Amino acid sequence: HPRSARTLTYRLGTISESRLIDVDPALVACVRRAIEVTEVDFQVFEGLRDRERQRELFFKGASRTMNSHHLADRYGIGHAVDLVPYVGGRLQWQQPLCNLIAKAMRRAAVDLDVPVTWGSCWDRELQALDGANLAREVAAYSARYYRTHGTDEHPLIDGPHYQVPLNEAIA
């Protein structure tokens, strides 16, 4: 079993921890649990973001909304993080590596009973996905997206992105 062969234990660094400030505590707990069980190291690339940064990402096509979960709710809390694989001393954005982090985040979400949505499969909670076949889950999401939206628009596959629902009572 590949999991038992792994001897490295990862931890969040100072930069990653600083990027979790003012992020929903349940999502932070999942990130901290995921780093303990992940097969690949990762960095918290972004947590809470301001409207200017969101606007920049929106106009570059990296986001499809100006109403991102990365933006603060009325209490100043963000509800999304971007977790990027860190391999060989560099950030790596390849989907297969992102899938390994998703596997760890899925386990954390199940362990902690937190409803997490992954940016590579927007229409289902991460816990409902087959953690052993995440590449197939992403392909199935893309197929569902094309059936719903047609082929003129491509699905946004955002492997590093994780979000929790906004609390409607406080948002």
Side-chain angles (χ1 to χ4, degrees):
H1 187 272
R3 180 78 185 99
S4 60
R6 184 175 78 83
T7 57
L8 291 176
T9 302
Y10 301 111
R11 67 177 185 79
L12 295 176
T14 306
I15 292 171
S16 288
E17 285 289 350
S18 73
R19 292 174 178 163
L20 293 174
I21 294 171
D22 293 330
V23 171
D24 183 288
L27 183 55
V28 170
C30 283
V31 172
R32 289 183 176 145
R33 175 68 179 133
I35 197 70
E36 295 172 352
V37 300
T38 186
E39 296 174 40
V40 62
D41 196 7
F42 62 82
Q43 182 181 86
V44 180
F45 186 75
E46 214 164 9
L48 189 63
R49 79 172 57 130
D50 62 27
R51 291 204 176 277
E52 183 177 319
R53 171 79 173 140
Q54 186 61 36
R55 190 175 300 110
E56 172 190 337
L57 293 171
F58 178 78
F59 285 111
K60 284 183 177 178
S63 178
R64 292 199 178 157
T65 183
M66 280 300 298
N67 200 17
S68 172
H69 280 58
H70 282 281
L71 298 172
D73 64 17
R74 70 181 188 172
Y75 295 102
I77 301 298
H79 300 270
V81 293
D82 292 331
L83 307 178
V84 178
Y86 190 78
V87 178
R90 297 174 36 157
L91 294 174
Q92 304 287 336
W93 299 84
Q94 296 88 352
Q95 188 68 34
L97 293 173
C98 289
N99 290 356
L100 293 176
I101 296 171
K103 183 177 172 184
M105 279 294 286
R106 181 188 176 283
R107 179 168 165 194
V110 168
D111 288 352
L112 301 173
D113 193 27
V114 176
V116 176
T117 299
W118 179 34
S120 291
C121 194
W122 293 94
D123 63 347
R124 304 213 169 133
E125 285 185 4
L126 187 54
Q127 302 88 306
L129 303 180
D130 180 354
N133 291 292
L134 289 172
R136 187 171 58 205
E137 293 282 8
V138 174
Y141 164 69
S142 293
R144 289 190 302 273
Y145 186 92
Y146 286 125
R147 276 195 305 275
T148 306
H149 295 84
T151 56
D152 291 340
E153 182 180 331
H154 297 291
L156 177 63
I157 305 298
D158 188 355
H161 181 87
Y162 300 87
Q163 67 184 39
V164 292
L166 298 173
N167 183 338
E168 299 302 328
I170 63 169

